[in-house]
Amino acid sequence: MSTTHFIRGPAYGMSAEVKNKLAQKYDPQKEHELRQWIEELTGKRIGENFMESLKDGAILCDLINKLQPGSVRKVNESTQNWHQLENIGNFIKAITKYGVRPHDIFEANDLFENTNHTQVQSTLIALASMAKTKGIKVNMGVKYAEKHQRKFLPEKLKEGRNIIGLQMGTNKFASQQGMTAYGTRRHLYDPKLGTDQPLDQATISLQMGTNKGASQAGMTAPGTKRQIFEPALGMEHCDTQNISLQMGSNKGASQQGMTVYGLPRQVYDSKYCLTPNYAMIGEDEGQYNHSHHNFYNSE
């Protein structure tokens, strides 16, 4: 089986755009540093095409065996595709046990089918960083932070429940210094603009109103109407101290003519009543002398 069987054809559309963006992230300077590190550690020379030289997986297996002896027991030197893929798979398993994080590791097709050389480069840099963390002298990568695990007694953990963490804020050193009275304005002072610095922050501005000089002069009694006077229209002044008769009046009020509660009310009208020609109750027939007024009982 030939190697060309595993080579994919050209990509189009969205696949081509993604492949181009990944290729743009590839760093030639990092490739040069990786080449020097691998050649010095393994003692093998890498060809001009860096990724093509790593495709068989033999150099990668030698690299991890130098970092962790015995990681890959058998390295296939065959040119068969499945032997080369087996070498790459053994390398991936070995660096996973070595401590490289899974999200930093490339897939076999990223290298063997030339789909994502950027991820392969990132994996080798992460391997160099892990080697540096374990004390191996490496001129590239970063040293990972060591884990410092602390253990606290249960009594200490219970005490911490009664303390509010600083992530929730603190009220220490709190004061009311610089605060103004309620209702006073806040003066925004900027020396760059040349504005005057405030002298008094305890006085309410007149823009907010004032009660100085306030009086009830000119106010009328409750219930009286408000006279709108305009000299230009020839309007006359009105008495604003007396309640208008349109609102009713209690002047001259008396109880004259009112009857006891329950008694009938006499309604008199001379047009509808006749003059009686008989004596009223309690009068003699010879003595009654009534005027031409008649009475009508509402009952």
Side-chain angles (χ1 to χ4, degrees):
M1 186 179 295
S2 62
T3 307
T4 56
H5 178 73
F6 289 89
I7 298 177
R8 291 184 179 180
Y12 300 96
M14 184 65 69
S15 299
E17 292 181 6
V18 173
K19 190 174 182 179
N20 292 333
K21 288 183 179 180
L22 293 175
Q24 291 175 2
K25 295 181 180 180
Y26 191 83
D27 191 352
Q29 179 63 29
K30 295 294 182 182
E31 177 186 324
H32 179 69
E33 295 176 1
L34 286 171
R35 180 190 296 270
Q36 291 181 347
W37 174 57
I38 295 174
E39 289 180 350
E40 292 176 0
L41 190 60
T42 60
K44 293 184 177 181
R45 179 174 177 80
I46 301 176
E48 294 183 1
N49 193 329
F50 182 73
M51 288 298 170
E52 286 293 332
S53 301
L54 300 180
K55 185 178 291 187
D56 59 357
I59 297 178
L60 296 178
C61 291
D62 292 339
L63 175 63
I64 190 61
N65 282 333
K66 291 291 183 180
L67 297 175
Q68 185 74 32
S71 298
V72 180
R73 296 182 180 181
K74 181 182 178 181
V75 180
N76 298 310
E77 299 293 342
S78 174
T79 57
Q80 298 294 328
N81 293 330
W82 59 81
H83 287 160
Q84 295 177 1
L85 285 172
E86 184 179 0
N87 289 338
I88 297 174
N90 292 334
F91 170 76
I92 292 175
K93 293 178 181 179
I95 63 176
T96 303
K97 294 180 180 179
Y98 189 69
V100 180
R101 298 179 178 87
H103 60 269
D104 292 332
I105 299 176
F106 66 90
E107 296 181 358
N109 292 334
D110 293 337
L111 175 60
F112 197 79
E113 296 185 4
N114 302 319
T115 57
N116 193 352
H117 288 169
T118 304
Q119 185 61 36
V120 178
Q121 187 182 70
S122 300
T123 301
L124 295 176
I125 295 174
L127 179 60
S129 299
M130 183 58 63
K132 179 181 287 187
T133 304
K134 293 188 176 184
I136 299 176
K137 186 178 180 181
V138 183
N139 294 328
M140 63 178 306
V142 295
K143 184 179 180 180
Y144 293 125
E146 298 180 359
K147 184 178 181 181
H148 296 281
Q149 187 174 2
R150 297 180 177 89
K151 295 183 180 180
F152 297 93
L153 297 176
E155 294 78 8
K156 200 69 175 179
L157 294 175
K158 291 181 180 179
E159 292 179 2
R161 297 176 182 177
N162 300 326
I163 300 175
I164 301 176
L166 293 180
Q167 293 180 353
M168 302 178 184
T170 178
N171 59 356
K172 293 183 179 181
F173 312 109
S175 67
Q176 295 182 344
Q177 184 178 4
M179 295 182 66
T180 57
Y182 290 103
T184 55
R185 64 178 178 177
R186 181 181 179 186
H187 190 87
L188 301 179
Y189 171 70
D190 190 353
K192 297 180 181 179
L193 301 177
T195 57
D196 296 333
Q197 191 171 1
L199 301 178
D200 184 10
Q201 293 183 345
T203 304
I204 300 177
S205 173
L206 292 180
Q207 294 179 353
M208 302 180 184
T210 179
N211 58 356
K212 294 184 178 180
S215 66
Q216 295 182 345
M219 297 183 65
T220 58
T224 57
K225 65 179 181 180
R226 181 181 179 186
Q227 174 65 21
I228 300 177
F229 174 71
E230 180 61 44
L233 300 177
M235 300 176 64
E236 298 180 357
H237 284 284
C238 293
D239 185 10
T240 59
Q241 303 299 326
N242 298 324
I243 300 177
S244 173
L245 292 179
Q246 293 178 354
M247 302 179 184
S249 175
N250 58 357
K251 293 183 178 181
S254 67
Q255 295 182 347
Q256 184 178 3
M258 295 183 67
T259 58
V260 183
Y261 291 102
L263 294 181
R265 183 181 180 186
Q266 299 291 339
V267 180
Y268 167 74
D269 193 341
S270 58
K271 297 180 180 180
Y272 304 104
C273 297
L274 300 177
T275 303
N277 53 6
Y278 51 86
M280 300 294 292
I281 299 175
E283 294 182 349
D284 295 337
E285 295 182 357
Q287 295 180 354
Y288 77 92
N289 184 15
H290 299 288
S291 61
H292 295 282
H293 296 283
N294 296 321
F295 300 92
Y296 172 74
N297 195 330
S298 61
E299 295 182 344

